[in-house]
Amino acid sequence: MRLVDRHLGMTVVASFGQALAGLLAVFAVINLTEELRNAGSPGWGVGRAIWFVVMTLPSEAYTLFPAAALLGAVLGFGRLATDQELIALQAAGVAPTRLAGSALMAAGVLALAGLALGELVAAPLSQRAHAQRALALSGGRALTTTSGLWLRDGRRFVNVGSLRPDGSLEQIYEFDFDADRRLERFTHAASAAQVDGTWELQQVRESVLHDEVSTNRDLATTRWHTVFDPRSIQTLWLEPRDLSLVELSRTMAALRAQGQNPLGHEVAFWRRVSAPVYMGVMVLLAMPMVMVSGRTVRVGERAILGALVGLGFQMSQEMFTNFGLVVGLPPLAIALVPALIALAAAGMLFRNQGLA
């Protein structure tokens, strides 16, 4: 059985590599087409667009791992079925569930490889690529968003307009509320920088409100006492999917300490942790798709079926994630419900095909 495990495992891994390469090629073309729309912008030419797509390929690959696992397992088992190897193994007394166990071992190896890819390669490269893209599109000035970055520090709400490459900030708006939720102070600063380990606001305009009377004053510089450091602000500026597990954990803890809802980061965390579960479920789903009532399916049909089901599952997972974020479902449920549904579908197919 060790020889059988090794043979099945190598077949699944090799087919997974082929499937992942094919899916990556398709999505790379789609992403490049999207990026080329900005190629006319100052500082963002065709070469930079291509470089951005290349830098984000590891992150794209990590996202496509479950779909590639399904397609690879379909193609791998299909090749074994075409060569009559599956029939020979079953005639020798090897149960389909035992074959599935061999495939799950290969899925476990792929899941560990995917985790290493996501943590050590995809996350840092994706962060660097998006930072360079934002800097290029802003003329090398700063990372910007439509409404800036909103932060909360107790009863204080802060809006940061942009983040410079050196970690300093531009256009800071600070709103301080009293215990009755009434605005008592409004502060605007043109910039903020770290000086001797603490923040210093520059070109400051401060308005203090009391009994419907506003008292204004202008300051060249003033100390800014806040819990946010440059690293935490830079991390909060990034999309949760571009963060590593360690960065996600730190960001969630920081958001909770500020009284903010870290749901988006929690979902990203649990989706990354549950990635091995999805790999296993996709491999289990592949077997009954190949062994349809004891028949083998042609290669073209297998490839189309695996690609459609894999990509359809990927899109359904994204839709369910967005739905869960909107209605506020528990993050673990958002991460695992699609996998549980796919596992139930795999179990039904195993029973219907007489493989269980």
Side-chain angles (χ1 to χ4, degrees):
M1 285 308 300
R2 288 185 178 179
L3 183 61
V4 172
D5 290 338
R6 190 179 302 113
H7 178 58
L8 289 177
M10 291 301 296
T11 300
V12 170
V13 170
S15 299
F16 167 83
Q18 296 170 3
L20 183 60
L23 291 174
L24 269 181
V26 172
F27 278 85
V29 171
I30 295 174
N31 293 340
L32 181 59
T33 302
E34 184 68 24
E35 289 304 318
L36 288 176
R37 295 180 180 178
N38 297 320
S41 302
W44 191 251
V46 175
R48 288 197 173 219
I50 295 174
W51 181 245
F52 175 81
V53 172
V54 171
M55 292 278 283
T56 54
L57 273 182
S59 179
E60 196 74 56
Y62 182 74
T63 304
L64 290 171
F65 255 54
L70 174 61
L71 179 55
V74 166
L75 293 175
F77 276 113
R79 189 177 299 116
L80 294 175
T82 300
D83 296 338
Q84 307 300 318
E85 293 185 54
L86 289 181
I87 295 177
L89 288 171
Q90 292 181 72
V94 181
T97 51
R98 183 63 183 83
L99 297 176
S102 300
L104 284 176
M105 289 187 234
V109 174
L110 291 173
L112 291 177
L115 184 62
L117 173 69
E119 293 299 299
L120 303 178
V121 180
L125 283 183
S126 182
Q127 292 175 20
R128 180 180 174 186
H130 282 92
Q132 290 178 348
R133 181 181 185 274
L135 287 170
L137 292 177
S138 67
R141 187 174 62 88
L143 305 180
T144 59
T145 60
T146 303
S147 59
L149 176 67
W150 282 97
L151 307 169
R152 180 181 178 183
D153 184 1
R155 292 198 296 265
R156 174 183 300 166
F157 293 84
V158 180
N159 179 261
V160 180
S162 57
L163 173 66
R164 291 173 179 168
D166 61 1
S168 60
L169 312 176
E170 288 185 346
Q171 300 302 322
I172 300 94
Y173 296 88
E174 188 176 270
F175 305 85
D176 289 279
F177 293 84
D178 60 19
D180 296 324
R181 301 182 180 180
R182 291 176 300 192
L183 182 65
E184 63 179 4
R185 179 183 289 104
F186 167 73
T187 305
H188 169 259
S191 61
Q194 284 271 306
V195 178
D196 298 329
T198 61
W199 285 107
E200 182 180 84
L201 296 177
Q202 299 159 350
Q203 300 179 39
V204 182
R205 174 77 170 183
E206 183 184 79
S207 299
V208 179
L209 287 78
H210 182 69
D211 293 334
E212 300 183 358
V213 176
S214 174
T215 303
N216 304 320
R217 65 170 180 165
D218 295 322
L219 301 169
T221 61
T222 185
R223 293 293 182 183
W224 186 27
H225 302 286
T226 179
V227 298
F228 303 106
D229 55 55
R231 178 58 184 168
S232 65
I233 292 178
Q234 186 177 25
T235 302
L236 287 169
W237 215 287
L238 297 168
E239 291 289 336
R241 64 181 180 180
D242 294 327
L243 301 176
S244 66
L245 283 173
V246 174
E247 290 170 330
L248 284 169
S249 299
R250 291 174 179 170
T251 304
M252 289 188 297
L255 289 173
R256 292 193 191 99
Q258 300 156 22
Q260 298 189 60
N261 185 3
L263 181 58
H265 291 80
E266 287 177 337
V267 171
F269 177 87
W270 285 113
R271 281 192 61 173
R272 184 159 294 190
V273 169
S274 61
V277 176
Y278 279 93
M279 295 286 291
V281 171
M282 292 297 100
V283 168
L284 287 178
L285 193 59
M287 277 196 67
M289 290 171 58
V290 173
M291 304 174 67
V292 183
S293 300
R295 298 186 292 108
T296 58
V297 186
R298 287 178 293 183
V299 176
E301 295 177 352
R302 289 197 297 265
I304 293 174
L305 180 63
L308 288 177
V309 174
L311 294 177
F313 177 81
Q314 194 90 10
M315 294 174 63
S316 300
Q317 185 186 21
E318 294 296 332
M319 291 174 61
F320 182 79
T321 298
N322 293 332
F323 170 79
L325 288 171
V326 171
V327 301
L329 294 177
L332 189 57
I334 295 175
L336 288 181
V337 164
L340 296 177
I341 293 175
L343 183 60
M348 291 177 60
L349 289 173
F350 261 87
R351 287 193 297 271
N352 291 341
Q353 300 302 329
L355 301 177

